[in-house]
Amino acid sequence: MSVQEVTDTYIKPKICYAPAERNLLSTIPNATKVTGILRNLFTYLEDYDEAREFFTGKKIELIDNYSYLYDSATQKTFIINNDNKKVELFEASSGIQSLAPISVVSQYYSKHQVERYSSDKQLLSLYEKKTAEKDYSALIAILGIAGAAELIAAIASNENKGKHAFLGILSLLGALGLGVATNSESEKPLSPEQEEYLKQEEQKACRIIESRFINIVEEPEQNLFPTSQNKILFDLLDCNNRSNDNQLMITTHSPYIISYLTLSAKVKDMHNNGISSKKTNHIVPEAAATDGRKIIIYETHDDGTITKLEHYKNLPSDNNYLNNAMIKANEDFSALLEIEDE
C-alpha cells in the first residue's frame, strides 16, 4: 500500500524503513551497545536513536492515553499511562513495543524537520554547505536584506506554507548561522516575480535539503487490537499529510488497516463536498483524512504475481484478498449453521 503525491521537482527525501523486527529495539534496554544487528534494523536504530534524543525529557503521545518518555541521562525509556504510572519500555506490552519506535520516528521526521537543522550535528557535506552559502549570498545580492526578509516571511506565511519545497531553506540557513529577521506570521502572498524566483531556486535547494519524508513501515498492525491499529494508522497518515511531498508505504496482512484507510479516504471526500470536519472528527481526525486518489494498493497472490487494485468512487476497492478472506469465514460459519439445522 502506498500513499503518495506526484511532483515535478526532485526533492531530497529522508527515507526511513521500519522493519517488522523493530520490537527488538524496544525489548533490548541498551540496543545501541549491541553488535551483530541486521543491517536494516541497525539503520532504523540510528533513526530511532536520533529521534528519541531529540525528544529526551518530553512526553510523546502514543495511543490509548499512553505516552512515551526517554531520559538520555539514564538511557531509559518509559511508557506512562493516564494515571501517571510508568514502566520501562522493555516491560510494556508487545503492541506498545512495536508501535513506539515507528510513532517516535514518524513524528520526529515529519513534524520536527526544521528543528533538526539547529542541532549540533553537522548534517551537510562541506560541498553542500558551500553551495547553500553561495545561494544565500545570491539571494541577498538580488533582493537585499529587506527583500530577502520579506520573501522568506512570505514563504513561511499560512497562505504559502507547504507550497514551495524551498521552505526548507529556512532551517538550513539557521544551521549555517545565516538568516534574516522575519515575521513568520505574515499573510502577504508572493508576487509573480517572487514565485518565479522560487521556482528557479528550489530546484537547487531541494537537492541539498531533506525536505520530505518517505516512511516505509512493515506491518504497523503488529500485536495490536483492531482499535489500536486504527489509531496507529491515523497517526501515520497525520505525519504523512504534513507535507504534500511526503510518502507513506505500508505492508500489511490486516483487513482492518485497509478498512480504516477506506474510512480516511471517505472522510476526505466528504470534506471536499462541504461536510464540516467537526461532524467527522470523532471517526477520523481531520489531519488523517487522505485523498483516495492518492492511495495506491497492490495485492500479492499465491503464485507470486502482484496486481494493482482499482478504485471505486475515489475509494480503495473492497474487493481484495483480506476482505474476501473475512467474507469467506462468515460464509463458512453460515454453512455450518445450515448443516446444524438439517
Side-chain angles (χ1 to χ4, degrees):
M1 185 201 77
S2 172
V3 180
Q4 64 179 17
E5 171 76 5
V6 178
T7 177
D8 295 330
T9 302
Y10 175 76
I11 303 173
K12 184 178 179 181
K14 170 59 186 176
I15 303 175
C16 286
Y17 168 55
E21 299 84 2
R22 60 186 173 272
N23 290 56
L24 289 175
L25 306 183
S26 300
T27 55
I28 301 175
N30 295 303
T32 56
K33 298 180 180 179
V34 176
T35 61
I37 296 178
L38 292 174
R39 187 177 298 276
N40 61 352
L41 188 60
F42 181 82
T43 300
Y44 197 65
L45 174 58
E46 289 185 290
D47 293 326
Y48 176 48
D49 190 53
E50 181 176 330
R52 66 183 181 178
E53 285 287 344
F54 176 82
F55 287 127
T56 186
K58 303 175 184 177
K59 284 186 179 181
I60 306 299
E61 291 186 9
L62 298 177
I63 60 172
D64 299 331
N65 296 317
Y66 288 100
S67 299
Y68 174 102
L69 180 66
Y70 177 69
D71 181 1
S72 61
T74 61
Q75 294 188 327
K76 290 185 177 181
T77 303
F78 298 97
I79 300 299
I80 307 171
N81 67 8
N82 56 352
D83 294 325
N84 214 33
K85 295 180 179 178
K86 63 182 181 180
V87 298
E88 288 196 54
L89 179 57
F90 71 87
E91 299 175 314
S93 69
S94 58
I96 293 293
Q97 291 172 348
S98 176
L99 72 86
I102 60 175
S103 184
V104 172
V105 169
S106 298
Q107 291 191 46
Y108 172 55
Y109 283 110
S110 65
K111 301 179 183 179
H112 300 278
Q113 193 78 354
V114 171
E115 288 90 336
R116 292 181 66 232
Y117 293 97
S118 62
S119 68
D120 294 331
K121 183 178 178 181
Q122 179 57 47
L123 299 174
L124 302 174
S125 68
L126 181 60
Y127 171 79
E128 291 172 331
K129 179 177 183 291
K130 287 183 176 180
T131 300
E133 289 174 332
K134 182 179 179 181
D135 287 345
Y136 176 74
S137 297
L139 177 69
I140 299 299
I142 294 172
L143 301 176
I145 292 291
E150 179 183 354
L151 175 59
I152 293 173
I155 300 171
S157 73
N158 291 333
E159 181 169 339
N160 299 298
K161 190 178 291 292
K163 186 175 181 180
H164 291 277
F166 187 68
L167 180 60
I169 199 69
L170 296 177
S171 57
L172 180 59
L173 297 179
L176 300 176
L178 305 171
V180 290
T182 69
N183 175 15
S184 61
E185 300 300 319
S186 170
E187 297 292 336
K188 187 175 181 179
L190 299 175
S191 68
E193 292 78 13
Q194 290 173 330
E195 288 272 11
E196 183 60 30
Y197 176 81
L198 286 179
K199 288 178 182 178
Q200 296 173 7
E201 287 299 305
E202 70 177 358
Q203 295 285 345
K204 293 183 290 184
C206 292
R207 291 180 172 86
I208 298 175
I209 307 162
E210 292 175 352
S211 301
R212 63 181 176 128
F213 179 37
I214 298 180
N215 197 11
I216 306 170
V217 182
E218 276 193 340
E219 302 179 14
E221 72 272 11
Q222 261 187 168
N223 306 340
L224 294 175
F225 286 108
T227 52
S228 297
Q229 294 179 35
N230 177 339
K231 292 172 183 176
I232 188 59
L233 175 65
F234 287 167
D235 185 38
L236 290 173
L237 290 174
D238 179 357
C239 291
N240 185 73
N241 290 342
R242 290 181 174 269
S243 169
N244 289 332
D245 300 307
N246 287 346
Q247 189 169 356
L248 170 65
M249 301 181 192
I250 291 174
T251 64
T252 183
H253 293 92
S254 172
Y256 302 109
I257 291 290
I258 304 299
S259 295
Y260 295 135
L261 189 62
T262 303
L263 286 180
S264 172
K266 180 60 179 176
V267 162
K268 185 65 175 181
D269 187 59
M270 293 168 65
H271 293 171
N272 290 340
N273 289 322
I275 297 178
S276 171
S277 60
K278 294 180 180 179
K279 295 183 178 180
T280 58
N281 272 337
H282 66 291
I283 300 175
V284 178
E286 182 178 8
T290 302
D291 190 338
R293 293 168 295 183
K294 298 178 183 177
I295 298 173
I296 301 173
I297 300 178
Y298 294 93
E299 182 176 77
T300 58
H301 304 284
D302 293 337
D303 61 0
T305 59
I306 300 175
T307 58
K308 177 181 175 182
L309 297 185
E310 298 297 328
H311 285 74
Y312 175 75
K313 294 184 177 180
N314 295 333
L315 301 178
S317 171
D318 59 3
N319 183 20
N320 60 72
Y321 179 83
L322 296 176
N323 278 347
N324 292 339
M326 293 184 67
I327 293 172
K328 180 64 166 58
N330 290 332
E331 290 175 346
D332 288 346
F333 187 78
S334 296
L336 290 175
L337 292 179
E338 290 177 3
I339 293 173
E340 184 181 46
D341 292 338
E342 289 180 356

